[in-house]
Amino acid sequence: MSGRGRLAFCSALATLAAACALLPLVDPATWLLQAALVVAVQSCVGAATRRVPLARPVTIAVQAAVSLALLTLFFAREQALAGLLPGPEVFVRFGELLNAGAQDVGRFAIPAPVTEGIRLMLVGGVLVIGLLVDALAVTYRSAAPAGLPLLALYSVAAGLAQEGARWLWFLCAAGGYLLLLLAEGRERLSQWGRIFSDRGRPGTPSYQPGAVDGPAVAPVRTGRRIGALTLGIALVVPAAMPSLGGGLLDAARGGAGGAGQNSGGTVSAVNPLVALQDSLNQPEDRTALTYTTDTKSTQEMYLRIVALDQFDGAAWKPSERRISEVPSPLPTPKGLGAGVETQRVRSSVKAADWYAQNWLPLPYPASQVNIDGRWRFEPEGRTLVGDRGQTTRGVRYDVDSLLVQPTARQLAEAPSPSRSLTREYTEVPDSLPSVVHQTALRVTQDSANDYERAVKLQDWFASDGGFTYDTQVRAGSGSAAIVNFLEQKEGFCVHFAFSMAAMARTLGIPARVAVGFTPGTAQGDGKMAVGLKDAHAWPELYFEGVGWTRFEPTPTRGSAPAYAQPDSPDPSENPGEALPEPGRSTQPTPSPSQSESCTAEEKRLDPECGQAAPAQGGDRGGDGFPLGTVAWISGAALLLLGLPLLPLLWRVRVRSRRLGTRGGAKDRSGAGS
């Protein structure tokens, strides 16, 4: 292999080594194989065009054209001419995928599933970095500046990752860059031949006339200094970068997730707070779902997306679960006994064409789901999750579910659950302050059983405790957020649900948090419309013989089930009574509630009367993928690293001109002689 060929190989290897820093962000890592393939082809095309030879800008243009063709082949084959040549439809497809990828990045927590949009962002980004590195290090023979795009790639990945062996990925990126520097130095020296020994240096052999053997001490020392300086800056820059939050960018906030890439995979995490915050900040309440149902108890038609069953002190999030093919029918709900009255409910659901997420909203507990597409079943939460990029966009599905109607007596006399279930669903972190447990004991004092404790907790949050529903309160699900909520008594559905579930666990009651939609609003055509602002979070407590049971601690949101208000008549016994109109919330997001101080006439004249203003400050972690922030940080890192190298690049440029002038003069004098 020639010197230039070795340099091209090292350039591609350095790019892939830096790309390894992205591996902890997504799962699985098969995208890296695709990226390695396209980077290798790109490098080979560059090597071939340089041997022609072509002008340097033409070489880069040819590599860019081939790279675009490869991306077209992998991601927009159906829209391309002959499956390879890009046209206008290809760029439209790229735009759709990038937009979907940006939404997925904002929706999922680390590690995120590799959807088509995220895959295009990863492979395309690595391909662009590879082209820059190859152009600088090989085409223009300046390996030192080629470290800037490599460092930008690593810095962005290090800024997004929240945990893991970062040092390992740093060593990969640093090793690739040092290899590139050494290859470039060796290739440059090969153009000069062997280097004369430094006779003035102690320990070197005496000078022999005509000898050309000896170590290239000065160039190697210079290369080491450059490498040490660059690696030192690389260590400082990520540490000085501001942290990023939200969705894929913030693993500390858990949620529901996407599926693995095969039927035997596991479920990744999606961030419910991000989705809730995004929906809450929407300028208009768009309809995400419409459905028809044969039950008159539509106030019980909560459409559940995912259950958050793990609380580590920093966030509520779902445990990693195995997924399988969707069975028909679905298995019997855990804990549901034969003595509990149930009603079979049949519903038909249609998702809007713009509403795309990986989890399928379902009434709980579903017993049969008829849907086309690539869907998998997670049995613990009884949820369906999309596989290999499958989303809810425009899907239609029919669901058979059970309306479970336990009595207060059945809940009060429920036996103790199994030890394994109790151990898993009553676990609380050591970081949870004792005031949470003490408050739970105080609120539930004089209770005879877990059912009475659960009802007292619900009523304390919903009415007796002086809490206020306020969407402007900073979102959070960790221990500190729960304590602040109990002190300030202001928050929205996530605060109420997370706090009640945590307090129930401290009392030994198995609890988790469900995220989904309230039933929506009845339409004139007999359909129910579920808008973005119908998203909601609520606690589920487990009672043996009944199973996971919904409670509603959030005031002005949804409706408490009949079994949770034993002094009230069962709503199902009064079918002719007008149905309440649930507050509009979303995909995991609550909505502003209407103030009770507004009269009917004031609301008619001003529809926004009583609506809480959108959150202006606080936690903006739900804004999705911060493309502008990442671009700004990357540019700042490039500028910071580029300024110290400008004098070096100028000296290299002046020296090459000087040597070129001398070489040309020597050639002319030789030709004249």
Side-chain angles (χ1 to χ4, degrees):
M1 183 183 294
S2 64
R4 188 70 72 92
R6 284 193 298 269
L7 188 58
F9 173 77
C10 292
S11 170
L13 191 61
T15 300
L16 295 176
C20 288
L22 298 170
L23 290 177
L25 304 181
V26 293
D27 182 55
T30 51
W31 67 270
L32 188 60
L33 298 178
Q34 193 174 45
L37 175 61
V38 295
V39 169
V41 173
Q42 181 188 80
S43 181
C44 292
V45 169
T49 54
R50 282 186 289 264
R51 289 180 64 88
V52 171
L54 298 177
R56 291 173 175 175
V58 176
T59 296
I60 298 174
V62 172
Q63 288 181 283
V66 172
S67 301
L68 178 60
L70 290 173
L71 291 178
T72 302
L73 178 64
F74 287 126
F75 295 98
R77 184 183 312 170
E78 297 179 357
Q79 291 78 19
L81 301 176
L84 186 65
L85 301 178
E89 294 183 356
V90 169
F91 293 101
V92 173
R93 175 61 176 166
F94 283 163
E96 293 175 351
L97 288 177
L98 290 176
N99 182 59
Q103 294 179 1
D104 291 338
V105 165
R107 182 179 299 115
F108 293 104
I110 299 171
V114 185
T115 63
E116 282 298 296
I118 292 180
R119 186 185 298 273
L120 175 60
M121 296 175 71
L122 292 171
V123 176
V126 172
L127 199 57
V128 170
I129 295 296
L131 181 60
L132 292 174
V133 173
D134 186 88
L136 291 171
V138 189
T139 303
Y140 285 95
R141 295 191 176 186
S142 298
L148 299 181
L150 293 176
L151 180 58
L153 178 62
Y154 168 77
S155 297
V156 170
L160 302 184
Q162 299 295 323
E163 56 185 10
R166 296 188 189 179
W167 60 270
L168 177 61
W169 311 122
F170 173 75
L171 289 181
C172 290
Y177 179 53
L178 289 180
L179 182 65
L180 181 61
L181 285 178
L182 294 177
E184 192 264 351
R186 182 173 180 180
E187 195 273 337
R188 186 182 297 275
L189 292 178
S190 68
Q191 304 298 319
W192 290 84
R194 295 183 179 178
I195 306 302
F196 288 98
S197 299
D198 186 356
R199 292 173 293 166
R201 189 174 178 82
T204 58
S206 59
Y207 173 69
Q208 300 293 331
V212 294
D213 288 328
V217 178
V220 172
R221 187 187 304 119
T222 302
R224 290 174 179 172
R225 290 174 179 173
I226 294 175
L229 174 63
T230 306
L231 296 183
I233 297 176
L235 285 172
V236 174
V237 169
M241 288 174 59
S243 61
L244 306 178
L248 174 58
L249 312 180
D250 189 357
R253 293 176 181 176
Q261 299 302 306
N262 53 65
S263 61
T266 58
V267 180
S268 300
V270 73
N271 192 329
L273 295 185
V274 170
L276 281 166
Q277 195 78 14
D278 285 344
S279 301
L280 184 61
N281 291 330
Q282 292 295 318
E284 59 178 334
D285 188 10
R286 304 173 66 187
T287 298
L289 302 165
T290 57
Y291 68 92
T292 59
T293 181
D294 60 2
T295 181
K296 295 181 180 180
S297 301
T298 53
Q299 72 275 6
E300 297 295 333
M301 285 293 294
Y302 278 56
L303 299 178
R304 196 166 163 279
I305 295 177
V306 70
L308 314 180
D309 55 13
Q310 184 179 14
F311 182 42
D312 59 7
W316 283 86
K317 52 190 174 183
S319 301
E320 186 174 278
R321 305 288 187 184
R322 301 293 298 180
I323 55 177
S324 62
E325 296 289 340
V326 180
S328 180
L330 302 184
T332 302
K334 176 183 292 187
L336 181 59
V340 178
E341 181 181 353
T342 61
Q343 175 187 343
R344 182 177 178 181
V345 178
R346 177 161 295 178
S347 308
S348 295
V349 188
K350 169 67 169 64
D353 292 337
W354 59 266
Y355 176 64
Q357 57 126 358
N358 291 78
W359 293 86
L360 192 68
L362 295 172
Y364 184 86
S367 57
Q368 177 84 41
V369 182
N370 297 318
I371 186 173
D372 296 329
R374 299 181 296 270
W375 295 94
R376 298 291 181 264
F377 178 64
E378 192 278 291
E380 186 66 24
R382 300 184 64 84
T383 52
L384 264 64
V385 58
D387 185 29
R388 292 173 292 173
Q390 176 69 56
T391 69
T392 56
R393 188 189 303 274
V395 301
R396 296 176 181 268
Y397 53 102
D398 297 324
V399 185
D400 289 346
S401 60
L402 297 177
L403 178 58
V404 182
Q405 300 173 312
T407 64
R409 182 175 180 178
Q410 287 174 325
L411 292 170
E413 296 177 354
S416 300
S418 65
R419 290 185 179 180
S420 60
L421 187 144
T422 302
R423 182 172 56 253
E424 179 178 2
Y425 290 101
T426 60
E427 182 178 2
V428 293
D430 295 336
S431 61
L432 186 67
S434 59
V435 65
V436 177
H437 179 50
Q438 294 171 359
T439 303
L441 291 175
R442 175 173 55 82
V443 171
T444 61
Q445 61 183 347
D446 300 328
S447 297
N449 50 63
D450 287 345
Y451 165 69
E452 291 185 7
R453 295 184 184 93
V455 172
K456 284 187 177 181
L457 285 177
Q458 172 190 266
D459 293 345
W460 183 67
F461 282 112
S463 57
D464 302 338
F467 287 86
T468 303
Y469 183 83
D470 187 353
T471 59
Q472 299 188 45
V473 176
R474 180 176 178 176
S477 63
S479 299
I482 292 175
V483 172
N484 291 337
F485 173 63
L486 295 179
E487 292 177 352
Q488 300 173 6
K489 296 191 174 184
E490 293 182 345
F492 55 97
C493 62
V494 295
H495 299 97
F496 288 92
F498 292 148
S499 299
M500 179 173 171
M503 294 173 72
R505 285 194 172 193
T506 65
L507 297 175
I509 307 174
R512 64 188 185 186
V513 175
V515 176
F517 294 95
T518 54
T521 305
Q523 305 296 297
D525 56 0
K527 295 182 179 179
M528 299 289 291
V530 178
L532 278 183
K533 293 185 178 180
D534 283 318
H536 192 42
W538 61 91
E540 292 181 339
L541 277 56
Y542 184 86
F543 292 89
E544 190 66 35
V546 179
W548 288 104
T549 308
R550 177 179 69 87
F551 287 84
E552 186 53 87
T554 307
T556 74
R557 300 287 296 161
S559 60
Y563 53 76
Q565 41 182 345
D567 296 334
S568 301
D570 189 340
S572 62
E573 298 177 357
N574 299 286
E577 185 178 349
L579 296 176
E581 200 172 293
R584 309 277 307 193
S585 111
T586 168
Q587 165 189 343
T589 301
S591 70
S593 58
Q594 297 231 348
S595 171
E596 296 299 330
S597 62
C598 291
T599 65
E601 179 65 18
E602 289 173 336
K603 292 179 181 179
R604 185 183 67 82
L605 296 176
D606 182 8
E608 297 183 356
C609 177
Q611 291 285 348
Q616 300 295 325
D619 186 4
R620 299 291 298 173
D623 291 337
F625 185 69
L627 293 174
T629 303
V630 171
W632 180 85
I633 292 174
S634 301
L638 290 173
L639 182 63
L640 178 63
L641 296 176
L643 289 177
L645 294 176
L646 288 179
L648 173 63
L649 296 177
W650 177 256
R651 288 196 296 270
V652 170
R653 179 63 178 169
V654 171
R655 182 178 301 174
S656 63
R657 284 184 176 181
R658 191 176 297 161
L659 293 176
T661 302
R662 292 179 181 177
K666 182 177 180 180
D667 292 341
R668 288 192 295 272
S669 63
S673 62

